[in-house]
């Protein structure tokens, strides 16, 4: 098959519709080239060949049937990210570098899906101590769900990883910038648990400020999506939301975005901040969990003329549900979901004082789960026997010892298998 501009995405789609098993493509321009089948893979396996090979193959095809076969690794079980800096002058001539696994940092990474098996975009970056940064330019993918062993050069080069479920429209989940010691072994888990809003994180992976008061202004800017260790930058056209701020039951500000700054009175008041977020458009095709999340935070605030910035009592719910890599739960009774909260740089949560959890299969009829507390740990019991194939939405109501509250509804937090 002749490819005019190197774009094989539509060609692969048409070939699959015609019953083809794979695509072998060429173009008339000389030299090697790489055909583009889409940011997250094409409809069929595709191989590109040079002009000379194509002419020879076409000549054979002109005389009759030709049988072709080739092998390829669709998803590699490992990946290497290497930095080989020189401390002195680099002169002409060949340079040979020998790399051994035992001299590298090694990370065992687990990638969870958002309910649909897909190839997530996998971007890497390298940062040198002098401030030089290199973002790897290739569009690479990693299978979700999947596992992979990742090797990084040890030393003073810091490595960063970003994942997107649906590039270029979806979110980018961002990992911390990390250096590795020789032979160091670590692990990482991506998109785990019930995904929802969290505090943003800095390059070191530390939670940053998400909600504050400066004078008579209240500002709120969380990460729309996050897991247990990462926070995401929102997608350009796939992540939408809104924000409403109420004071003592009256609306004092609204935003068409899931973040905003609002002017408020100086006197003390009880505030409720409600954020609604959801996935739309192409990203929704591979995002069938946490499809929409509505969160209401409750906190008290008043002007402190002596303080430039006052962190607000905002709690981010966390759910320790027995999810597999497809975010499904067994169709069985008596399963436990741990309940907890995290804060942000401006607020350290107090111990949980009360917790409620309800679940629903249709978003209208809710069953209240039995919640217990033991040694400061809260958990709820859900019963899903006979519910195989049904989506489950969760509704949590949590209060900490400092008086901060949060109520959150997660649409289709997981499915029952």
């Amino acid at each position: 098959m002749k490819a005019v501009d190197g774009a094989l995405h539509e060609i692969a789609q048409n070939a699959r519709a015609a019953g083809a098993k794979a695509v072998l493509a060429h173009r008339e321009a000389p030299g090697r080239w790489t055909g583009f089948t889409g940011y997250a893979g094409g409809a069929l396996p595709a191989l590109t060949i040079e002009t000379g090979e194509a002419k020879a193959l076409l000549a054979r095809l002109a005389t009759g049937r030709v049988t072709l076969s080739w092998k390829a690794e669709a998803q590699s079980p490992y990946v290497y990210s290497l930095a080989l800096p020189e401390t002195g002058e680099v002169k002409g001539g060949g340079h040979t570098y020998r790399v051994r696994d035992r001299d590298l940092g090694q990370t065992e990474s687990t990638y969870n899906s958002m309910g649909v098996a897909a190839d997530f975009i996998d971007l890497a970056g390298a940062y040198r101590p002098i401030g030089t940064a290199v973002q790897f330019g290739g569009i690479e993918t990693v299978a979700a769900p999947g596992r992979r062993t990742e090797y990084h050069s040890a030393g003073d080069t810091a490595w960063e990883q970003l994942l997107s479920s649906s590039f270029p429209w979806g979110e980018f989940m961002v990992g911390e910038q990390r250096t590795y010691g020789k032979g160091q072994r670590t692990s990482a888990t991506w998109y785990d648990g019930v995904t929802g809003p969290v505090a943003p994180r800095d390059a070191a992976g530390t939670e940053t400020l998400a909600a504050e008061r400066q004078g008579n202004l209240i500002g709120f800017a969380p990460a729309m999506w996050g897991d247990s260790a990462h926070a995401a930058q929102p997608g350009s056209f796939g992540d939408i939301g809104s924000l409403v701020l109420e004071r003592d039951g009256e609306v004092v500000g609204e935003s068409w975005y899931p973040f905003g700054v609002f002017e408020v009175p100086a006197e003390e008041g009880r505030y409720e901040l409600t954020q609604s977020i959801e996935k739309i458009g192409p990203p929704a095709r591979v995002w069938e969990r946490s499809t929409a999340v509505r969160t209401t935070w409750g906190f008290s605030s008043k002007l402190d003329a002596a303080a430039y910035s006052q962190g607000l009592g905002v709690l981010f719910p966390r759910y320790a549900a027995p999810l597999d890599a497809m975010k499904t739960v067994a169709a069985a009774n008596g399963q436990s979901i741990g309940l907890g909260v995290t804060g942000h740089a401006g607020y350290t949560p107090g111990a949980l004082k009360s917790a409620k959890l309800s679940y629903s299969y249709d978003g209208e009829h809710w069953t209240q789960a039995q919640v217990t507390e033991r040694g400061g740990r809260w958990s709820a019991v859900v019963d899903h026997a006979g519910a195989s194939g049904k989506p489950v939405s969760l509704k949590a109501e949590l209060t900490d010892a400092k008086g901060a509250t949060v109520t959150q509804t997660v649409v289709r937090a997981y499915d029952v298998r």
Side-chain angles (χ1 to χ4, degrees):
M1 184 172 293
K2 179 180 175 182
V4 177
D5 58 1
L8 298 180
H9 182 70
E10 185 176 355
I11 290 175
Q13 285 184 322
N14 294 337
R16 184 174 66 175
K21 300 297 183 183
V23 172
L24 189 64
H26 72 96
R27 64 178 182 178
E28 293 181 348
R32 290 193 174 276
W33 64 286
T34 301
F36 181 68
T37 56
Y39 289 113
L44 289 175
L47 179 69
T48 59
I49 60 175
E50 293 182 352
T51 304
E53 294 173 315
K55 288 181 178 180
L57 180 58
L58 289 170
R60 290 187 59 186
L61 284 169
T63 63
R65 183 186 181 99
V66 177
T67 300
L68 297 174
S69 64
W70 68 85
K71 291 182 179 181
E73 188 72 46
Q75 297 292 342
S76 175
Y78 56 86
V79 65
Y80 287 82
S81 298
L82 304 177
L84 304 166
E86 296 282 354
T87 57
E89 181 181 356
V90 178
K91 297 183 178 180
H95 293 265
T96 300
Y97 298 93
R98 296 188 181 276
V99 178
R100 296 177 173 84
D101 289 356
R102 66 174 181 267
D103 295 329
L104 305 175
Q106 178 179 327
T107 302
E108 296 295 336
S109 291
T110 300
Y111 298 92
N112 297 285
S113 78
M114 289 303 294
V116 178
D119 290 335
F120 284 10
I121 295 298
D122 178 26
L123 295 180
Y127 299 82
R128 296 292 298 149
I130 61 174
T132 304
V134 177
Q135 294 292 329
F136 293 18
I139 301 295
E140 304 293 341
T141 61
V142 62
R147 296 178 62 87
R148 190 173 67 177
T149 301
E150 298 163 355
Y151 295 95
H152 294 84
S153 291
D156 56 2
T157 298
W159 300 95
E160 179 185 62
Q161 185 179 7
L162 299 88
L163 290 181
S164 176
S165 65
S166 45
F167 182 79
W169 314 119
E171 80 301 333
F172 264 108
M173 198 75 78
V174 183
E176 65 182 273
Q177 292 181 17
R178 176 187 296 179
T179 59
Y180 294 85
K182 185 181 295 187
Q184 179 182 353
R185 297 196 173 201
T186 60
S187 62
T189 304
W190 295 81
Y191 288 86
D192 62 323
V194 176
T195 306
V198 297
R201 293 176 180 266
D202 61 18
T206 303
E207 293 173 345
T208 62
L209 193 65
E212 66 170 330
R213 177 170 183 153
Q214 292 185 13
N216 287 332
L217 296 176
I218 280 180
F220 181 65
M224 290 177 67
W225 310 107
D227 58 24
S228 63
H230 310 96
Q233 300 291 339
S236 54
F237 293 100
D239 296 319
I240 64 172
S242 61
L243 198 63
V244 177
L245 179 65
E246 296 184 17
R247 179 181 183 274
D248 296 331
E250 295 185 5
V251 175
V252 295
E254 296 181 79
S255 171
W256 288 4
Y257 302 95
F259 50 83
V261 177
F262 310 100
E263 188 170 1
V264 297
E267 295 76 25
E268 183 172 7
R270 185 66 184 178
Y271 291 86
E272 285 195 343
L273 183 66
T274 299
Q275 181 199 61
S276 299
I277 57 175
E278 63 178 306
K279 280 283 185 181
I280 63 168
R285 298 172 188 168
V286 297
W287 191 285
E288 292 189 357
R289 304 291 186 265
S290 298
T291 54
V293 183
R294 181 181 176 88
T295 310
T296 298
W297 292 275
F299 54 88
S300 297
S301 180
K302 65 178 180 180
L303 174 66
D304 182 353
Y308 172 74
S309 174
Q310 300 169 257
L312 300 177
V314 169
L315 306 171
F316 294 99
R318 300 302 303 167
Y319 311 88
L323 306 180
D324 62 14
M326 294 291 287
K327 296 196 190 302
T328 62
V329 168
N333 289 340
Q335 299 182 85
S336 178
I337 297 180
L339 299 174
V341 293
T342 58
H344 61 105
Y347 185 77
T348 301
L352 279 183
K353 285 301 182 182
S354 67
K356 295 180 180 179
L357 184 74
S358 302
Y359 58 96
S360 172
Y361 300 119
D362 59 9
E364 296 181 4
H365 303 88
W366 295 86
T367 299
Q368 188 163 326
Q370 181 181 352
V371 176
T372 58
E373 181 268 333
R374 293 181 181 177
R377 295 180 177 273
W378 295 77
S379 62
V381 175
V382 295
D383 296 328
H384 293 317
S388 182
K390 293 183 178 181
V392 178
S393 297
L394 297 178
K395 182 187 295 182
E397 302 173 57
L398 309 168
T399 304
D400 77 352
K402 298 179 181 180
T405 66
V406 62
T407 300
Q408 184 176 82
T409 300
V410 183
V411 177
R412 201 171 183 179
Y414 56 83
D415 278 12
V416 180
R417 69 178 187 279

